[in-house]
């Protein structure tokens, strides 16, 4: 008997168990059974039995000495190779480059301290693939110092790849808490996460129009956002050799002082926004009126206070409602605290509170919610009363939902709608900061003693985000991310709130994509890829035999993820 495989033109082949014999000069065959529906491994086993070959279970031949997660390491290293980050860091493979790449991949898998990194990357195939199994934390610190020396070169390479003459460059500033008191960069300042009592470190990030990080600069924690702008101008003009760019920053960074400085640099344009006091002044001078928005939610206005600038006034009714609701809540909260002081003053009849004592109590609460400007206070010995300033509240309410974008760009270069869109694209820089501080990268807490090590740590996180940005673009069909967002941002009403596309809503409701695969967050997809393992096997019959590595078969989801990465179109614009 033997197994015969009969090919079919339009369907899978037929697998038949047959016996054969010879009659005279003819070979005769008879089909004993049709085994086409058997699993392939059973068919293979039957063929070996019919050939009198011994059957041995793989577990009797091989021993699996160790199994390490491998799929996520493979995917991340493949993306690094595709986007050419390894060659950008150093053209030739070196020990330092391998250590830097290993730190980048490990931070995307399990962000941790440098000491923990040298432990954790042995729990995957990362250390083995990059040949850094013997590295300790001192080598990682030395590799960080080596990387910091290459930061100017790397940033210039990013700029030459992703920036061009006349393009918009986005800039914003954030900070992170520091654990300890040794680093000279760690200073007490305004922590943007609202933490108090801990020193912080400030850093500013430049990105291109798509949100890819280009450069980062680290400053002492007490550095104001506006004072960092001059360094970015120098970087754009001198280091990146760009003659014509448009710098986009928020109103807290591109202040009037900084804009006056930008005007002295030919070729540097800007897009920013006016502060609330400037908007109130425009309204007081009748340059800004609600009637401007009767037919359209944006309007261009002019003012002698802002010569050679275009001002685009925008009105968002949803933002208007939100600000009125929030103001009412803050007024009520402030009023509740003041009422408690009134009640306390009334209770103190035997030993009345003096005016100074009442003033101290009031001073601690009156501006806790930034509402002091809307209350009129009356303080005397043993007496305290307050009331709301209705006129002040009404004047502020008139400007609810109104904001004004300012730019140096002409109408020929940039329409009013595109100006607003560009300003709102600052959200892409804010996405960098959110990722830095989330479970994805965990830039904080920062422990490094030396200022240069902190700078290297922040720059390393920038490179990590650069890889994650590309990974998110490639794997978007498997993520909850809105795949139509980039195109939608170019076409939608710049004033109205963003609305998810139909495909994104469907993914969120069904938890599956159009191919039927379950959709993931970036973190859970990385962990899913990591379930594909690499097994280290050895022959049981020969204890000293060479090690055999064998990867587990990928799941359909893992196969699709690797297809998306390998098909990812890498461009430089």
């Amino acid at each position: 008997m033997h197994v015969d495989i009969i090919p079919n033109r339009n369907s899978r082949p037929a697998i038949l168990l047959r016996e054969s014999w010879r009659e005279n000069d003819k070979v005769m065959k008879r089909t004993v059974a049709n085994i086409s529906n058997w699993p392939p491994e059973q068919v293979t086993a039957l063929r070996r039995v019919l050939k009198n070959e011994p059957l041995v279970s793989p577990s009797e031949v091989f021993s699996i000495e160790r199994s390490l997660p491998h799929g996520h390491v493979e995917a991340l290293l493949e993306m690094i190779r595709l986007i050419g980050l390894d060659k950008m860091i150093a053209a030739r493979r070196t020990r330092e480059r391998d250590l830097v790449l290993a730190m980048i991949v490990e931070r995307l898998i399990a962000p941790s301290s440098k000491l923990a990194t040298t432990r954790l990357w042995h729990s995957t195939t990362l250390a083995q693939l990059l040949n850094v199994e013997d590295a300790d934390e001192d080598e990682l610190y030395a590799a960080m110092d080596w990387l910091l020396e290459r930061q100017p070169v790397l940033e210039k390479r990013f700029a030459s790849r992703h920036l061009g003459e006349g393009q918009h460059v986005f800039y914003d500033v954030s900070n992170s808490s520091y654990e300890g008191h040794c680093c000279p960069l760690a200073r007490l300042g305004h922590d943007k996460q609202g933490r108090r009592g801990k020193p912080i470190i400030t850093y500013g990030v430049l990105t291109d129009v798509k949100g890819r990080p280009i450069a980062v600069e680290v400053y002492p924690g007490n550095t104001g956002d506006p004072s960092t702008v001059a360094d970015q101008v120098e970087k754009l003009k001198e280091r990146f050799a760009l003659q014509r760019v448009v710098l986009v920053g928020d109103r807290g960074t591109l202040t009037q002082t900084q804009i006056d400085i930008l005007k002295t640099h030919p070729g540097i344009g800007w897009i920013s926004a006016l502060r609330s006091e400037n908007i109130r002044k425009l309204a007081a001078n009748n340059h800004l009126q609600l009637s401007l928005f009767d037919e359209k939610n944006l309007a261009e206005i002019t003012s002698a206070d802002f010569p050679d600038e275009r001002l685009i006034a925008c009105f968002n009714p949803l933002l208007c409602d939100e600000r009125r609701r929030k103001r009412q809540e803050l007024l009520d909260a402030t009023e509740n605290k003041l009422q408690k002081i009134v009640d306390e003053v009334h209770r103190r009849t035997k030993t009345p509170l003096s005016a100074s004592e009442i003033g101290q109590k009031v001073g601690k609460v009156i501006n806790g919610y930034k509402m002091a400007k809307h209350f009129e206070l009356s303080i005397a010995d043993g007496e305290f009363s307050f009331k709301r300033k209705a006129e002040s509240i009404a004047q502020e309410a008139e400007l609810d939902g109104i904001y004004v974008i300012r730019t140096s760009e002409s109408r020929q270069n940039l329409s009013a709608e595109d100006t607003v869109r560009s300003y709102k694209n600052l959200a892409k820089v804010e996405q960098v900061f959110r990722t830095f501080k989330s479970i994805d990268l965990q830039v904080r807490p920062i422990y490094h003693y030396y200022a240069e090590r902190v700078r290297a740590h922040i720059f390393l996180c920038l490179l990590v985000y650069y890889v994650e940005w590309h990974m998110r673009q490639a794997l978007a069909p498997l993520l909850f991310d809105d795949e139509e967002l980039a195109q939608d941002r170019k076409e939608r009403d710049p004033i109205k709130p963003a609305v998810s596309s139909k495909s994104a809503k469907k993914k969120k409701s069904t938890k599956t994509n159009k191919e039927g695969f379950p959709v993931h967050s970036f973190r859970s997809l990385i962990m899913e890829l990591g379930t594909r393992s690499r097994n280290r096997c050895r022959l049981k019959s020969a204890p000293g035999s060479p090690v055999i590595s064998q990867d587990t078969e990928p799941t359909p989801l893992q196969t699709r993820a690797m297809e998306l990465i390998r098909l990812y179109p890498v461009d430089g614009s």
Side-chain angles (χ1 to χ4, degrees):
M1 286 189 182
H2 65 280
V3 174
D4 211 354
I5 301 176
I6 311 299
N8 287 331
R9 178 175 299 176
N10 296 321
S11 59
R12 68 179 189 172
I15 304 174
L16 307 175
L17 177 62
R18 286 180 164 179
E19 63 176 353
S20 60
W21 66 93
R22 184 179 293 276
E23 291 185 1
N24 299 324
D25 294 334
K26 286 186 176 183
V27 176
M28 310 297 291
K29 292 183 180 181
R30 181 173 70 88
T31 299
V32 177
N34 187 334
I35 58 175
S36 301
N37 59 343
W38 281 24
E41 57 271 17
Q42 289 187 12
V43 174
T44 302
L46 179 59
R47 296 183 78 173
R48 293 183 62 185
V49 167
L50 295 174
K51 291 180 180 179
N52 289 324
E53 295 179 1
L55 294 181
V56 182
S57 170
S59 61
E60 296 176 4
V61 178
F62 293 101
S63 63
I64 300 177
E65 297 183 340
R66 194 175 186 189
S67 182
L68 292 174
H70 169 66
H72 48 7
V73 176
E74 179 187 30
L76 291 167
L77 289 176
E78 178 71 12
M79 178 56 73
I80 288 173
R81 183 192 65 79
L82 270 175
I83 63 179
L85 182 60
D86 51 347
K87 297 293 180 64
M88 294 174 73
I89 293 173
R92 295 182 179 180
R93 183 175 183 179
T94 64
R95 174 73 168 181
E96 291 83 1
R97 191 184 84 170
D98 286 344
L99 289 169
V100 169
L101 293 179
M103 284 189 282
I104 290 173
V105 174
E106 185 60 42
R107 186 154 285 274
L108 281 165
I109 294 173
S112 57
S113 68
K114 302 303 177 287
L115 176 61
T117 295
T118 61
R119 306 294 190 266
L120 289 173
W121 64 26
H122 291 281
S123 62
T124 68
T125 57
L126 176 59
Q128 176 187 347
L129 291 178
L130 290 176
N131 196 26
V132 294
E133 295 166 295
D134 58 338
D136 58 19
E137 65 272 20
D138 291 332
E139 264 201 282
L140 296 196
Y141 291 135
M144 288 173 64
D145 297 339
W146 174 84
L147 177 65
L148 186 64
E149 292 176 359
R150 304 187 63 78
Q151 179 177 351
V153 175
L154 263 171
E155 290 180 344
K156 189 173 182 179
R157 288 173 179 171
F158 285 146
S160 63
R161 174 181 286 193
H162 302 303
L163 297 182
E165 295 293 343
Q167 286 191 357
H168 291 190
V169 182
F170 298 83
Y171 178 67
D172 205 355
V173 182
S174 190
N175 51 51
S176 292
S177 58
Y178 177 80
E179 300 294 329
H181 306 281
C182 299
C183 181
L185 292 174
R187 307 281 179 83
L188 291 176
H190 173 61
D191 191 325
K192 297 190 177 185
Q193 279 66 57
R195 297 178 179 85
R196 295 183 179 180
K198 281 191 175 183
I200 58 175
I201 292 172
T202 298
Y203 46 92
V205 173
L206 280 173
T207 75
D208 72 349
V209 71
K210 293 184 177 180
R212 282 174 291 212
I214 303 298
V216 65
E217 201 72 39
V218 182
Y219 302 93
N222 59 355
T223 304
D225 294 3
S227 61
T228 67
V229 175
D231 290 340
Q232 312 313 313
V233 174
E234 185 275 334
K235 189 176 291 187
L236 293 169
K237 295 282 286 186
E238 303 299 330
R239 193 189 302 177
F240 300 160
L242 294 171
Q243 302 303 315
R244 169 70 180 140
V245 292
V246 179
L247 186 62
V248 185
D250 63 27
R251 58 188 177 183
T253 303
L254 291 187
T255 61
Q256 184 62 53
T257 301
Q258 300 307 317
I259 287 177
D260 290 340
I261 295 173
L262 291 179
K263 289 179 180 179
T264 65
H265 293 274
I268 299 289
W270 73 87
I271 299 174
S272 186
L274 291 182
R275 291 179 173 271
S276 56
E277 57 267 24
N278 298 126
I279 297 176
R280 284 195 293 270
K281 188 176 179 180
L282 287 174
N285 294 333
N286 293 322
H287 295 300
L288 183 59
Q289 300 173 356
L290 285 177
S291 59
L292 293 171
F293 308 110
D294 288 344
E295 297 182 0
K296 199 174 181 181
N297 54 15
L298 64 80
E300 287 201 41
I301 60 176
T302 58
S303 172
D305 294 333
F306 303 98
D308 303 322
E309 291 187 35
R310 291 170 61 208
L311 303 179
I312 297 102
C314 309
F315 176 70
N316 185 336
L318 295 179
L319 178 62
C320 176
D321 294 340
E322 173 64 18
R323 285 184 176 174
R324 288 180 179 174
R325 181 195 62 78
K326 187 174 182 179
R327 183 190 301 106
Q328 187 61 45
E329 290 180 354
L330 296 177
L331 286 170
D332 291 342
T334 305
E335 199 168 62
N336 288 337
K337 290 188 175 184
L338 292 176
Q339 186 60 45
K340 290 180 181 179
I341 299 175
V342 171
D343 296 341
E344 182 181 359
V345 171
H346 288 169
R347 287 195 304 268
R348 296 284 293 269
T349 55
K350 291 185 178 179
T351 55
L353 291 170
S354 66
S356 61
E357 289 175 323
I358 297 172
Q360 289 177 357
K361 292 178 179 293
V362 172
K364 292 179 181 179
V365 302
I366 184 61
N367 209 32
Y369 300 113
K370 311 297 183 186
M371 292 288 111
K373 58 189 174 182
H374 295 318
F375 285 93
E376 183 178 325
L377 308 177
S378 176
I379 300 175
D381 291 338
E383 296 181 4
F384 172 57
S385 63
F386 66 90
K387 64 178 181 178
R388 295 186 183 185
K389 297 180 180 178
E391 185 178 351
S392 171
I393 296 172
Q395 286 178 351
E396 185 176 273
E398 289 179 356
L399 299 178
D400 284 346
I402 295 177
Y403 55 94
V404 180
I405 308 299
R406 62 191 304 192
T407 181
S408 62
E409 297 302 286
S410 66
R411 292 183 182 85
Q412 289 74 22
N413 291 338
L414 201 63
S415 68
E417 289 79 7
D418 286 339
T419 301
V420 179
R421 291 189 183 101
S422 292
Y423 183 77
K424 288 193 170 184
N425 274 341
L426 276 171
K428 295 177 181 178
V429 192
E430 294 168 0
Q431 177 63 38
V432 178
F433 296 139
R434 282 195 295 273
T435 306
F436 266 33
K437 300 171 187 180
S438 71
I439 60 173
D440 287 356
L441 300 189
Q442 293 184 15
V443 69
R444 62 169 185 253
I446 301 171
Y447 293 98
H448 299 287
Y449 285 3
Y450 306 114
E452 297 309 298
R453 291 276 169 80
V454 172
R455 290 190 169 95
H457 172 69
I458 300 293
F459 183 59
L460 180 69
C461 288
L462 188 86
L463 298 182
V464 176
Y465 181 77
Y466 186 79
V467 177
E468 179 175 329
W469 187 93
H470 285 283
M471 286 288 288
R472 283 183 177 274
Q473 300 299 308
L475 298 174
L478 299 177
L479 301 174
F480 281 101
D481 296 12
D482 190 342
E483 299 170 60
E484 301 173 33
L485 181 60
Q487 186 61 34
D488 188 36
R489 278 175 168 161
K490 298 177 182 178
E491 300 173 352
R492 70 189 180 200
D493 189 312
I495 310 300
K496 292 181 179 178
V499 178
S500 299
S501 66
K502 291 182 180 179
S503 60
K505 290 178 179 178
K506 186 175 181 180
K507 280 201 294 187
K508 290 177 181 178
S509 63
T510 63
K511 306 296 188 295
T512 57
N513 68 0
K514 59 185 179 182
E515 297 172 301
F517 291 111
V519 288
H520 287 261
S521 68
F522 179 76
R523 175 58 49 194
S524 67
L525 183 56
I526 290 294
M527 293 301 101
E528 171 67 24
L529 293 175
T531 61
R532 183 168 182 240
S533 301
R534 173 162 290 181
N535 300 318
R536 186 171 68 185
C537 310
R538 199 185 297 270
L539 288 172
K540 283 187 175 181
S541 59
S545 63
V547 171
I548 301 171
S549 293
Q550 185 174 20
D551 297 345
T552 57
E553 290 296 318
T555 65
L557 177 64
Q558 292 166 347
T559 300
R560 181 57 179 151
M562 290 305 297
E563 286 176 355
L564 290 172
I565 290 173
R566 289 169 180 144
L567 294 173
Y568 177 60
V570 180
D571 59 72
S573 60

